[in-house]
Amino acid sequence: MKPGNQTITAHFLLLAFAFQGKMQFLFFTMISIMFLAILIGNSLIVVITTIDPLLHTPMYHFLKNLALTEICYSLTIVPKMLTILLVERKRISFTACALQLNCVILFVTCECFLLGVMAYDRQVAICHPLHYATMMSRSRCFNMVLGSWLSGVPVALGFTVWLFTMPFCGRNVIDHFFCDVPPVLKLVCADTALFELLIFVAIVIIVMIPFSLIAISYLCIIHAILQIPLAVGQRQAISTCAAHLVVVTLFYSTTGIIHLRPKSSLSSNMKKIVSLSYTVVTPMLNPIIYTLRNQEVKQSLRRCIDKWLFRKQIAVFSLSR
């Protein structure tokens, strides 16, 4: 943006979606239901993978952290969006906007690396089953998860501080439903060429390192599957990777459209819809995708429910005596 009259920005206005009347209430209801589904579905995964000893394996350890990431990511964006839709309070403070952007970058980066780690886990399980326990030891899994969570900290802090210390001028209206880099950057009245270049390089690195790991892992998996003589064994190997592959496709296909093509010809409304798909739809679908054909998770959920019902019956029986 060209230099102009600088203003001290105390708050921003989020335009969100231009719905009115019944359409706005319908959209609010739909997003509310999806948000509840995100919290319930991902929380269930976190709970059952924590309390069930049979699910204390690397795969479910990574899945639990992915679910935690989805919960944190949704809590960062959706409550404010619902507030805008319900009472039309579009104002967000300067500090809240910066904090929201920082969390968005942090959790998206974490999810990218977790998906890469999960692909590597599946590759080790299928290609090196006899060495799986040593290659995916508890300490190594802990370090992988810790690295995934911390990977976005310097990027998120660095770019957020840099962006929000730039001078803002003109209207303080953000044409989006949350504080994302491209719409906030449009309000800056200084030369942003270096910032745009460096953040694009950072996005490519953040996306390509995990994506390369995923691609290499699946090439190894495909090669290993082709060596399995029985069709039943091949189907079992493919089924262990199917859920992860679907989640990877959903995540990269939506985030890539927005963040790897910042100058794309998509309209503002279309960008909002695509952003909505990876901020609300994908976090809602992930628990469903991972549990739909996963018998271990289903059985664990049944065991947890049975234990809860049994304890409740014991408590009622003891009170009746």
Side-chain angles (χ1 to χ4, degrees):
M1 183 178 286
K2 294 180 180 179
N5 295 325
Q6 299 180 18
T7 58
I8 299 173
T9 305
H11 65 271
F12 297 100
L13 295 177
L14 294 169
L15 289 184
F17 296 92
F19 294 126
Q20 298 293 330
K22 292 182 179 179
M23 190 64 186
Q24 182 170 334
F25 179 74
L26 180 64
F27 189 70
F28 169 81
T29 305
M30 182 183 71
I31 297 298
S32 298
I33 293 171
M34 294 171 77
F35 183 50
L36 283 174
I38 291 169
L39 296 181
I40 294 170
N42 287 286
S43 296
L44 275 174
I45 288 180
V46 173
V47 170
I48 62 176
T49 52
T50 301
I51 66 177
D52 192 341
L54 295 178
L55 297 184
H56 290 178
T57 62
M59 182 177 76
Y60 292 109
H61 181 59
F62 298 138
L63 180 58
K64 176 173 69 176
N65 280 273
L66 182 66
L68 280 171
T69 307
E70 301 286 22
I71 292 170
C72 296
Y73 187 47
S74 299
L75 286 172
T76 301
I77 295 172
V78 181
K80 182 60 182 178
M81 179 170 58
L82 291 175
T83 304
I84 294 171
L85 290 170
L86 183 63
V87 295
E88 296 190 6
R89 290 183 60 183
K90 299 184 178 183
R91 179 178 293 191
I92 183 171
S93 69
F94 184 87
T95 305
C97 187
L99 182 61
Q100 187 182 59
L101 178 60
N102 181 77
C103 291
V104 166
I105 297 173
L106 176 65
F107 295 133
V108 168
T109 304
C110 178
E111 185 163 353
C112 279
F113 282 95
L114 277 175
L115 289 173
V117 166
M118 292 171 78
Y120 176 73
D121 171 69
R122 291 299 82 208
Q123 184 229 318
V124 174
I126 293 172
C127 301
H128 310 284
L130 299 179
H131 302 285
Y132 182 74
T134 54
M135 293 179 70
M136 299 301 294
S137 63
R138 180 173 295 184
S139 60
R140 180 170 292 183
C141 291
F142 175 80
N143 290 333
M144 286 179 173
V145 169
L146 184 63
S148 298
W149 279 99
L150 295 179
S151 60
V153 172
V155 179
L157 283 175
F159 282 107
T160 301
V161 171
W162 187 5
L163 176 58
F164 282 86
T165 51
M166 289 183 179
F168 291 90
C169 59
R171 298 176 65 205
N172 60 341
V173 177
I174 298 174
D175 190 13
H176 213 329
F177 58 89
F178 69 97
C179 293
D180 202 4
V181 173
V184 174
L185 198 61
K186 290 180 180 178
L187 306 180
V188 174
C189 54
D191 185 9
T192 60
L194 180 61
F195 182 93
E196 291 181 50
L197 174 63
L198 291 182
I199 199 164
F200 180 75
V201 171
I203 290 170
V204 170
I205 292 172
I206 290 168
V207 169
M208 290 310 298
I209 290 177
F211 187 79
S212 300
L213 180 59
I214 292 168
I216 293 168
S217 296
Y218 274 104
L219 285 174
C220 295
I221 288 170
I222 292 169
H223 181 264
I225 289 174
L226 293 176
Q227 306 303 313
I228 301 174
L230 298 176
V232 175
Q234 290 181 345
R235 283 197 297 270
Q236 288 176 344
I238 292 171
S239 66
T240 62
C241 305
H244 177 262
L245 198 56
V246 172
V247 170
V248 167
T249 304
L250 284 172
F251 180 76
Y252 276 98
S253 61
T254 51
T255 54
I257 291 173
I258 298 297
H259 296 291
L260 290 178
R261 297 180 60 196
K263 302 290 186 180
S264 65
S265 58
L266 291 176
S267 66
S268 175
N269 287 331
M270 185 57 66
K271 287 181 179 178
K272 291 177 189 177
I273 292 171
V274 175
S275 297
L276 191 69
S277 66
Y278 71 79
T279 54
V280 179
V281 179
T282 302
M284 180 192 69
L285 291 178
N286 283 357
I288 300 171
I289 293 168
Y290 275 109
T291 58
L292 195 62
R293 296 182 62 186
N294 192 317
Q295 294 301 320
E296 289 180 330
V297 174
K298 289 180 181 178
Q299 290 169 6
S300 175
L301 190 57
R302 290 192 195 101
R303 285 194 298 270
C304 292
I305 293 172
D306 291 341
K307 285 180 182 178
W308 180 78
L309 290 174
F310 179 73
R311 288 173 181 172
K312 191 174 181 181
Q313 288 173 354
I314 294 294
V316 171
F317 179 74
S318 61
L319 286 172
S320 64
R321 293 182 62 185

